[in-house]
Amino acid sequence: MSDPRRYEAEVGIIGGSGIYELDALTDVRRVRVSTPYGDPSGELVLGELSGTRVAFVPRHGARHHILPSRIPARANIHALKSLGVRQILGISAVGSLREDYAPGDLVVPDQIVDRTRADRGATFFDQDVVVHVAFAEPYCGRLRQLLIEAAGRATMATVHDSGTYCCMEGPQFSTRAESEMHRRLGFDLIGMTAVPEAKLAREAELCYAALCLVTDYDCWFDGHEDVTAQAVVDVMRRNSEAAKATLTTLLAKKSVDPECACQNVLASSINTPLEGLPDRAVERYALLLGKYLPASA
Ligand SMILES: CSC[C@H]1O[C@H](OP(=O)(O)O)[C@H](O)[C@@H]1O
Ligand SMILES: Nc1ncnc2[nH]cnc12
């Protein structure tokens, strides 16, 4: 297996249902990365897309064998950061909770409602150090704009520039009553994976935005089939070229901004004095807190 440090990447891409590889990558290397939070969803694929070094990981694993509640999101994001990644693009299949967001459309969501219930490992800082990051805007606004522009240029699909993603626990899809409740609450999209991925990207000081492909109308819309897993993957396979074309267009221009506010969010988020931390914390958080740790730590 290759040494990951030889193939630094700038941009991380997390693939969702139906997107288990990026065939446009060139100069491909596969690496195994271990982290203080366990193993990522599988090997990370390093390569070049439109002249940008990227690292790709399919969140459910290459065989789609990891359920949403058990995705090792902390390990995925820690591994990407350890490879040098400064920003992450998450690709997701979503159900639509409104008529005008139709199957085949692309959505770049701007808000998230967390309705998960399981302990998904929603923070890196689970011992010795207390961190509360600002999350009013869960996605990087700068990266969202780049994604919206790229999707508009790269595809014929309708692109929606906002939407509230409701993250449910699953793995079962919603009941009709739940789907109707989600609509009444004003949510636009339903999925199972935005949380904790977006929270962890913020804690890791990485810019993060999501490109969502609408695959279905969940189960609220009379005259449309109720969602099934097979239908989601079929629609994703048919439309995955739109997501890939968007990524190719986005990455053709420089998209990383080391001065973006996302990249320094911990400066105002750490409650615990970092002097005198136990060695285990210094070791656990070396990658995430390194620039804030006193020289003596
Ligand atoms: C395969 S249907 C349900 C599955 O699809 C979505 O996953 P992802 O966001 O990774 O594309 C949804 O959140 C569920 O995990
Ligand atoms: N209707 C739906 N509910 C939850 N997750 C989904 N992913 C794609 N469609 C979905």
Side-chain angles (χ1 to χ4, degrees), residues 5-272:
R5 284 161 302 189
R6 287 179 49 215
Y7 306 105
E8 270 217 346
E10 281 182 278
V11 175
I13 299 173
I14 302 182
S17 296
I19 306 216
Y20 309 112
E21 57 184 39
L22 286 183
D23 37 23
L25 284 188
T26 55
D27 191 20
V28 172
R29 301 276 187 291
R30 291 173 191 277
V31 293
R32 278 195 193 283
V33 182
S34 57
T35 82
Y37 302 94
D39 293 336
S41 296
E43 290 175 347
L44 277 79
V45 183
L46 292 161
E48 205 168 300
L49 189 62
S50 296
T52 300
R53 300 290 309 168
V54 306
F56 172 79
V57 61
R59 64 169 74 81
H60 301 281
R63 296 180 55 254
H64 202 133
H65 61 287
I66 307 173
L67 76 158
S69 313
R70 304 242 170 89
I71 291 168
R74 294 196 298 185
N76 289 344
I77 288 174
H78 196 281
L80 290 171
K81 188 168 170 94
S82 76
L83 293 170
V85 158
R86 307 293 291 260
Q87 68 185 24
I88 295 180
L89 296 158
I91 315 292
S92 272
V94 290
S96 168
L97 298 171
R98 49 190 284 177
E99 189 168 353
D100 57 335
Y101 285 26
D105 289 0
L106 299 176
V107 189
V108 180
D110 61 335
Q111 277 299 329
I112 296 175
V113 172
D114 180 359
R115 287 180 46 83
T116 62
R117 296 173 198 183
D119 178 0
R120 292 180 166 203
T123 179
F124 286 110
F125 305 105
D126 54 358
Q127 55 189 46
D128 300 314
V129 176
V130 175
V131 171
H132 300 283
V133 290
F135 204 52
E137 298 298 334
Y139 298 103
C140 170
R142 187 191 60 80
L143 192 54
R144 285 187 62 253
Q145 285 312 317
L146 294 178
L147 208 42
I148 292 161
E149 283 158 26
R153 271 187 285 136
T155 79
M156 301 296 284
T158 300
V159 181
H160 302 277
D161 64 6
S162 62
T164 297
Y165 179 126
C166 169
C167 189
M168 60 184 284
E169 188 60 52
Q172 301 82 4
F173 289 114
S174 305
T175 64
R176 216 174 306 288
E178 287 166 339
S179 192
E180 280 161 7
M181 175 185 73
H182 291 148
R183 272 167 54 73
R184 279 199 301 277
L185 287 170
F187 309 152
D188 303 306
L189 308 170
I190 183 84
M192 305 177 192
T193 62
V195 178
E197 204 168 272
K199 294 184 177 183
L200 295 168
R202 179 63 50 81
E203 286 191 350
E205 297 190 309
L206 301 174
C207 296
Y208 176 85
L211 180 63
C212 294
L213 283 84
V214 178
T215 50
D216 59 89
Y217 279 120
D218 202 27
C219 59
W220 60 271
F221 202 171
D222 279 350
H224 293 264
E225 294 286 314
D226 293 345
V227 61
T228 65
Q230 185 63 56
V232 169
V233 173
D234 287 349
V235 176
M236 279 303 272
R237 284 195 199 282
R238 281 204 299 280
N239 294 317
S240 64
E241 287 314 314
K244 291 177 184 174
T246 301
L247 295 176
T248 306
T249 300
L250 172 65
L251 297 180
K253 286 205 203 142
K254 185 163 175 45
S255 60
V256 175
D257 177 5
E259 303 301 319
C260 188
C262 305
Q263 314 254 333
N264 287 301
V265 73
L266 293 185
S268 56
S269 309
I270 306 170
N271 280 86
T272 312

